[in-house]
Amino acid sequence: MTITRTIAALGLAAATAVALTGCSSDSQSNVAEGCTPAHEGLTTVTSGKLSTAIVDAPPYSANTDDGDADGLEVDILNKLAEMECLDITYTPSSFAGAVPLITQQRSVDIAAGAFYPTAKRNEVADFVGPLYYDNMSIATKTGVSSVADLESMDSIGTVDGFLWTEDLRTVLGDKIRTYSSSVELSQDMLNGRLDAAIDSVATSQLYYKDDPDIQVKVADKDDRIAVTVNTPQVIFPVSKDNTALKDALDEDIATMRSDGTLSSLIADAGFDTSANIPESDSTLRVIG
């Protein structure tokens, strides 16, 4: 599944969606003997475990064939579990079904999959974070980074419903082509049918890493494109009914940010340094 950036899809249109079925990984405990948690007395859906819904949204998160998971957000979750002396289990989920697994079925504690902190989602779930920025990027063969440069091009693609799509349509008019997912967008870019492709930085870097002719640049700030000025933050959805867990994980994220652990995980995952959120901007911003 590709990363969906629509405000609608990022909300709860999924209330009726069903999570993908699959077995959670449930191996023998990996918690070190004598481990002291950063916060005592935390409760989780399954005692001693941080149960996690994983959406296939590489490079942010992805399920693996052996029942494990990988991606930047999985690395962050593993560190959080380590800090709280918890094992971690993974349950494959659809993007639409992940939040209901937390809020309705109550079978997991947290979800990963490049989730934004939307106001609609916040009606039923709480948020841990922010974790990192999800910057808009411009992929071209000429290396441009400004929206103004796009105005002289003939064909620019992006995904329908992404946070920047309507602003780009206002600025660029019928030069904008929209696609149902990043997969279709990247195919047209790779096949030379587009002059530029607009997507998140991490997604673009993943899809164009094997084409040396395509350069991915973080978009310059442009007041006409709101997300270039107020960059979207990514969070982990959690239950509103377990404030102790939410508060503990928020404090752990703050610790990871201040001691450099978070920036190291971001770098090790191959993400651009622009994904790092400084302490000066670490207050969560709810969208919408």
Side-chain angles (χ1 to χ4, degrees), residues 121-265:
R121 179 173 292 124
N122 200 205
E123 292 174 6
V124 297
D126 220 327
F127 306 135
V128 168
L131 308 173
Y132 58 90
Y133 289 131
D134 197 33
N135 288 276
M136 175 181 129
S137 72
I138 300 175
T140 64
K141 291 188 175 182
T142 53
V144 306
S145 59
S146 75
V147 174
D149 287 330
L150 298 177
E151 295 181 67
S152 62
M153 296 182 178
D154 295 323
S155 58
I156 300 100
T158 193
V159 177
D160 191 30
F162 278 16
L163 292 181
W164 51 72
T165 302
E166 288 307 311
D167 285 348
L168 284 173
R169 187 173 282 118
T170 298
V171 173
L172 300 172
D174 58 10
K175 294 182 179 182
I176 283 286
R177 302 181 189 177
T178 57
Y179 296 79
S180 60
S181 75
S182 297
V183 174
E184 287 81 5
L185 169 65
S186 63
Q187 287 173 344
D188 265 12
M189 184 66 196
L190 288 166
N191 290 328
R193 289 190 284 269
L194 292 172
D195 297 317
I198 314 300
D199 209 326
S200 68
V201 176
T203 305
S204 291
Q205 288 177 331
L206 175 67
Y207 281 118
Y208 306 124
K209 63 184 176 63
D210 295 326
D211 190 326
D213 293 331
I214 297 178
Q215 301 179 53
V216 177
K217 302 288 185 180
V218 177
D220 298 338
K221 291 184 184 299
D222 188 313
D223 289 339
R224 299 172 298 174
I225 313 296
V227 298
T228 66
V229 179
N230 292 307
T231 308
Q233 302 167 324
V234 176
I235 51 84
F236 291 136
V238 292
S239 173
K240 283 182 174 287
D241 297 329
N242 195 344
T243 55
L245 180 63
K246 176 244 181 321
D247 292 345
L249 297 183
D250 269 337
E251 290 179 14
D252 292 343
I253 290 293
T255 297
M256 292 167 65
R257 178 171 287 113
S258 63
D259 69 13
T261 299
L262 197 54
S263 62
S264 293
L265 291 176

Side-chain angles (χ1 to χ4, degrees), residues 10 39 66 69 71-72 85 102 115-116 130 182 212 222 226 235 248 261 278:
L10 289 176
H39 300 84
D66 60 0
L72 170 60
C85 302
I102 298 169
F115 287 92
Y116 286 167
S182 297
D222 188 313
I235 51 84
T261 299

